[in-house]
Amino acid sequence: MKRNIKYIVVHCTATPPEAKVENIVRYWKEQLGWKNPGYHYIIKRNGEIVSLLSEDLVSNGVKNYNQQSVHISYIGGIDKNNKPVDNRTPEQKKAMFNKLVALSEKYPEAQIKGHRDFPGVIKACPSFDVRTWLKDYIPEGVT
Ligand SMILES: [Zn+2]
């Protein structure tokens, strides 16, 4: 069944940058007891995008908004003291930008938001201002 996607939501995993996708997925399943992953896509430090779930299915990114959302996350987002930090690699930024462009072409009605832009969210996720970043981003190596 096609979903009515209203939001394309950007997250960070809030894990150490060296965290592995399989461990994050196991954590959701075993520690949190989730049936579906937290996000549809995870972007690794090298810019590789791992697809965790079909966009037609609901993942667990933002409470009360998951039915209408596609969730995308980068590995990282906190420093050694668990403080929010935008520590995306240039490869992650580029992959994220391209994926957001592709998703917004697929879902032209959808808004791109950070997790923290939703009402009632206390987390800093994704540790940067998505709207400002999208406006100012210039892919590195492009002249
Ligand atoms: Zn989040």
Side-chain angles (χ1 to χ4, degrees), residues 10-12 39 61 115 123 125:
V10 179
H11 299 264
C12 64
Y39 323 113
H115 185 173
K123 299 176 179 190
C125 178

Side-chain angles (χ1 to χ4, degrees), residues 21 42-50 73 75 89 91-92:
V21 174
I42 282 191
I43 307 174
K44 289 160 63 168
R45 303 298 288 178
N46 65 3
E48 186 193 329
I49 300 179
V50 180
S73 182
I75 292 187
T89 64
E91 290 80 9
Q92 282 178 313

Side-chain angles (χ1 to χ4, degrees), residues 17-124:
E18 55 280 0
K20 296 271 177 286
V21 174
E22 55 267 33
N23 293 338
I24 295 167
V25 169
R26 190 179 311 133
Y27 174 80
W28 291 329
K29 227 181 241 169
E30 293 178 3
Q31 304 297 313
L32 304 181
W34 289 356
K35 267 193 296 182
N36 282 346
Y39 323 113
H40 295 87
Y41 300 102
I42 282 191
I43 307 174
K44 289 160 63 168
R45 303 298 288 178
N46 65 3
E48 186 193 329
I49 300 179
V50 180
S51 171
L52 299 176
L53 188 70
S54 159
E55 287 168 26
D56 294 338
L57 298 174
V58 177
S59 72
N60 257 325
V62 183
K63 205 177 168 193
N64 300 326
Y65 292 91
N66 291 315
Q67 295 289 345
Q68 302 144 321
S69 300
V70 171
H71 298 290
I72 175 167
S73 182
Y74 69 97
I75 292 187
I78 52 170
D79 69 11
K80 285 193 202 76
N81 303 311
N82 290 331
K83 289 258 161 55
V85 64
D86 179 5
N87 57 8
R88 287 173 297 164
T89 64
E91 290 80 9
Q92 282 178 313
K93 288 182 181 173
K94 189 175 172 197
M96 177 178 283
F97 186 82
N98 290 338
K99 190 67 186 171
L100 290 175
V101 169
L103 287 170
S104 50
E105 281 167 3
K106 187 167 175 187
Y107 306 107
E109 309 289 306
Q111 285 180 49
I112 301 176
K113 278 173 170 293
H115 185 173
R116 67 184 189 186
D117 301 328
F118 285 84
V121 173
I122 301 159
K123 299 176 179 190

Side-chain angles (χ1 to χ4, degrees), residues 5-20:
I5 298 301
K6 288 197 184 138
Y7 306 105
I8 299 161
V9 190
V10 179
H11 299 264
C12 64
T13 56
T15 62
E18 55 280 0
K20 296 271 177 286

